[in-house]
Amino acid sequence: MSSTPAASVLFVCVHNAGRSQMAAGFLRHLAGDRVEVRSAGSIPGDQVNPSAVAAMAELGIDISDQKPKVLTTEAVQASDYVITMGCGDACPIFPGKKYLDWALEDPAGQGVEAVRPIRDEIKVLIEGLIAEIDAKQEA
């Protein structure tokens, strides 16, 4: 088996502080080094949402060391999958990329109780994404 990742995935939301950070955390945790993981925001926040950090920690996934990053054209070009979560028209489009838009509630300003269902929805989406990536590798 080659050490080259099966795919590269970029998660994009507005602030890169909640949804995209949780999605990146799940993908890193569940796929390990089989998938290259990036996240970015069209208008990055100052820090990762503390409620998102707490909700992920409940499942044993530490995203406390992550920092919001600005969305760059290079990050999109380097990714096989670009998964948007409410960044609207700010995401550049390149041919040959697979674009998915996950309609998820924005956890900004919400407590951990409100973030848990968003986190759980993201986990289900990530599991489906991993299954799709694995199926392409086997094809």
Side-chain angles (χ1 to χ4, degrees):
M1 182 101 186
S2 142
S3 62
T4 304
S8 177
V9 178
L10 171 64
F11 296 103
V12 183
C13 65
V14 176
H15 299 298
N16 188 220
R19 295 165 290 188
S20 56
Q21 292 286 357
M22 288 190 288
F26 271 126
L27 188 54
R28 281 188 202 99
H29 181 75
L30 297 172
D33 58 4
R34 292 183 302 141
V35 178
E36 185 178 9
V37 181
R38 297 180 179 89
S39 70
S42 50
I43 308 169
D46 296 328
Q47 66 179 20
V48 175
N49 179 334
S51 295
V53 171
M56 293 297 284
E58 291 177 349
L59 300 181
I61 301 171
D62 183 6
I63 62 169
S64 63
D65 62 340
Q66 298 299 308
K67 303 277 184 253
K69 295 168 279 308
V70 70
L71 176 63
T72 65
T73 302
E74 294 77 22
V76 176
Q77 287 175 315
S79 302
D80 301 309
Y81 290 81
V82 178
I83 300 174
T84 59
M85 305 170 183
C87 75
D89 297 331
C91 300
I93 304 291
F94 292 98
K97 308 292 174 197
K98 175 147 189 182
Y99 289 87
L100 300 170
D101 185 48
W102 292 352
L104 296 161
E105 187 180 342
D106 187 350
Q110 299 193 54
V112 72
E113 302 78 21
V115 174
R116 282 186 192 114
I118 302 166
R119 173 203 65 196
D120 295 344
E121 187 177 354
I122 290 170
K123 182 175 188 243
V124 170
L125 291 166
I126 292 296
E127 290 168 341
L129 176 66
I130 292 170
E132 179 179 323
I133 291 169
D134 288 345
K136 281 188 174 177
Q137 285 300 108
E138 294 166 9

